[in-house]
Amino acid sequence: MAMAALFNRASKTQTFNLLCRSNRILTSISSPIQTKPLKAPFQVRSAVTRADDVVAFDEMVAGIQRKYYMLGGKGGVGKTSCAASLAVKFANHGHPTIVVSTDPAHSLSDSFAQDLTGGALVPVEGVDSPLFALEISPEKAREEFRSKNQKSGDSGVKNLMDGMGLGTLSNQLEELKLGELLDTPPPGLDEAIAISKACEVMEFVETQEYTTFTRIVFDTAPTGHTLRLLSLPDFLDSSIGKMMKLKRKLASASSALKSLFGKKEAGQDISEKLEDKLGELREKMARVRHLFQDSDTTEFIIVTIPTVMAVNESSRLHASLRKESVPVRRLIVNQVLPPSTSDCKFCAMKRKDQMRALDIIQNDPALSSLRSIQAPLFDVEIRGVPALKFMGDVVWR
Ligand SMILES: Nc1ncnc2c1ncn2[C@@H]1O[C@H](COP(=O)(O)OP(=O)(O)OP(=O)(O)O)[C@@H](O)[C@H]1O
């Protein structure tokens, strides 16, 4: 059955849930819109896979070794819907799954039509295997940030950030809402948020209670944040390097002074503590980066829509991910107009526009090396598990 007929049928029945339950309809979706390898890649690096080598969903679901899928792209292109639909599909194929949103502007709750707020794992209802959702909450991060500062007195995160020249920022984080700051971010804020995010992600991934989950799907923040998170180890390496040098100089100066007056070398103690903290942080960052780069366990899936702006941003995102050696194999082109034999003037214009953007993808040597999965623009909003299951069965095949 052509996609257009399917969608006509969907709008005629007006009952999306019924459609979702109808296996007959689901299995009859033919593939005018589906995975298709584009051109041969112009360059293959270890982290980049040829389109032809990219496995279909059957292989994404195979095996019980834990796998991470990170979905990212420009704001509003459908990252959350794609991530949530993938998580539902994994769970319905027997994988205990967690879907995590690291986007400060969460929409997992809206997508699942369930309250998933609170920064803790919440079970998602209506799936066959355990599926938990987690919205990493900026408010909670801020709270933890504050309590760490209070507990640690003269050391801890505040000191660390002070030491990194982010002192004003750490005060702002304590005083202000992250959401407000995000609207007009002062210099350094993104890095600070990325630092705290990366630490949370790592703690989450390494915690014993999560080891039973075999698929972890990340709904990442829009491009800029994700890239900063990835480039963080370099940023930290250079900042920490500079910091340590400075601290050593200060420590030796203060120890020289203190031994002159016969006092305890307290300055050196603080400097050593700080060095330890910075070292720990650097290690965490390195683990986050390693996780992102491990092609055996991790895949970053770029989500875009067929507009020139979104495609250009995807191209930049792809280039940056390659630079960071993050494995990228798939590109989801979401919200593609389904075929129709009778376009209205508006639809015809829109379709022309989309074709132009799809052409750009075809002619972009890097993007066309990815397996392109076209997902249709549905005529109903994708909300709730049945709708996500429906979407997942169309997209993840
Ligand atoms: N293929 C589709 N057909 C119809 N509607 C869609 C499709 N994909 C996503 N949507 C709708 O588009 C809106 C934005 O989707 P979603 O929240 O998944 O995007 P996002 O990229 O995660 O956004 P943000 O960057 O704000 O987090 C939602 O209302 C969603 O239901």
Short mmCIF file of all heavy atoms in Angstrom, two decimals, residues 158 161-162 165-174:
data_model
loop_
_atom_site.label_atom_id
_atom_site.label_comp_id
_atom_site.label_asym_id
_atom_site.label_seq_id
_atom_site.Cartn_x
_atom_site.Cartn_y
_atom_site.Cartn_z
N LYS A 158 32.80 24.21 43.26
CA LYS A 158 32.89 25.66 43.16
C LYS A 158 34.36 26.07 43.00
O LYS A 158 34.70 26.85 42.11
CB LYS A 158 32.27 26.32 44.38
CG LYS A 158 32.15 27.83 44.20
CD LYS A 158 31.35 28.45 45.32
CE LYS A 158 31.05 29.91 45.05
NZ LYS A 158 32.21 30.66 44.63
N MET A 161 35.59 25.24 39.64
CA MET A 161 35.19 26.19 38.61
C MET A 161 35.86 27.54 38.82
O MET A 161 36.23 28.21 37.86
CB MET A 161 33.67 26.33 38.58
CG MET A 161 33.05 25.04 38.08
SD MET A 161 31.31 25.14 37.97
CE MET A 161 31.15 26.24 36.58
N ASP A 162 36.00 27.92 40.09
CA ASP A 162 36.74 29.16 40.37
C ASP A 162 38.12 29.06 39.74
O ASP A 162 38.58 29.96 39.06
CB ASP A 162 36.90 29.38 41.88
CG ASP A 162 35.59 29.80 42.52
OD1 ASP A 162 34.66 30.16 41.78
OD2 ASP A 162 35.51 29.76 43.77
N GLY A 165 38.50 29.63 36.20
CA GLY A 165 38.11 30.94 35.71
C GLY A 165 36.61 31.02 35.48
O GLY A 165 36.13 31.89 34.77
N LEU A 166 35.87 30.08 36.05
CA LEU A 166 34.42 30.08 35.86
C LEU A 166 33.71 30.43 37.17
O LEU A 166 32.59 30.00 37.41
CB LEU A 166 33.94 28.71 35.34
CG LEU A 166 34.54 28.26 34.02
CD1 LEU A 166 34.17 26.81 33.71
CD2 LEU A 166 34.07 29.13 32.88
N GLY A 167 34.40 31.18 38.00
CA GLY A 167 33.87 31.48 39.33
C GLY A 167 32.57 32.24 39.31
O GLY A 167 31.62 31.87 39.99
N THR A 168 32.51 33.27 38.50
CA THR A 168 31.28 34.08 38.42
C THR A 168 30.15 33.18 37.99
O THR A 168 29.02 33.25 38.48
CB THR A 168 31.43 35.17 37.33
OG1 THR A 168 32.80 35.52 37.24
CG2 THR A 168 30.55 36.35 37.60
N LEU A 169 30.52 32.32 37.07
CA LEU A 169 29.54 31.41 36.53
C LEU A 169 28.98 30.48 37.60
O LEU A 169 27.79 30.22 37.66
CB LEU A 169 30.29 30.60 35.49
CG LEU A 169 29.49 29.71 34.64
CD1 LEU A 169 28.47 30.53 33.90
CD2 LEU A 169 30.41 29.03 33.66
N SER A 170 29.86 29.95 38.45
CA SER A 170 29.38 29.02 39.47
C SER A 170 28.42 29.74 40.41
O SER A 170 27.44 29.16 40.85
CB SER A 170 30.54 28.38 40.23
OG SER A 170 31.17 29.32 41.04
N ASN A 171 28.69 31.04 40.68
CA ASN A 171 27.75 31.80 41.52
C ASN A 171 26.43 31.96 40.79
O ASN A 171 25.36 31.80 41.38
CB ASN A 171 28.32 33.18 41.84
CG ASN A 171 29.52 33.06 42.74
OD1 ASN A 171 29.65 32.09 43.48
ND2 ASN A 171 30.43 34.02 42.66
N GLN A 172 26.53 32.24 39.50
CA GLN A 172 25.30 32.42 38.73
C GLN A 172 24.49 31.14 38.72
O GLN A 172 23.27 31.16 38.82
CB GLN A 172 25.64 32.81 37.29
CG GLN A 172 25.96 34.27 37.16
CD GLN A 172 26.46 34.58 35.77
OE1 GLN A 172 27.36 33.92 35.27
NE2 GLN A 172 25.87 35.57 35.17
N LEU A 173 25.20 30.04 38.61
CA LEU A 173 24.49 28.76 38.59
C LEU A 173 23.73 28.54 39.89
O LEU A 173 22.67 27.94 39.91
CB LEU A 173 25.47 27.61 38.38
CG LEU A 173 25.88 27.36 36.94
CD1 LEU A 173 27.05 26.40 36.89
CD2 LEU A 173 24.72 26.81 36.13
N GLU A 174 24.32 29.02 40.97
CA GLU A 174 23.65 28.84 42.25
C GLU A 174 22.45 29.76 42.36
O GLU A 174 21.42 29.39 42.90
CB GLU A 174 24.61 29.17 43.39
CG GLU A 174 25.61 28.06 43.63
CD GLU A 174 26.47 28.39 44.83
OE1 GLU A 174 25.93 28.36 45.95
OE2 GLU A 174 27.65 28.71 44.64
#
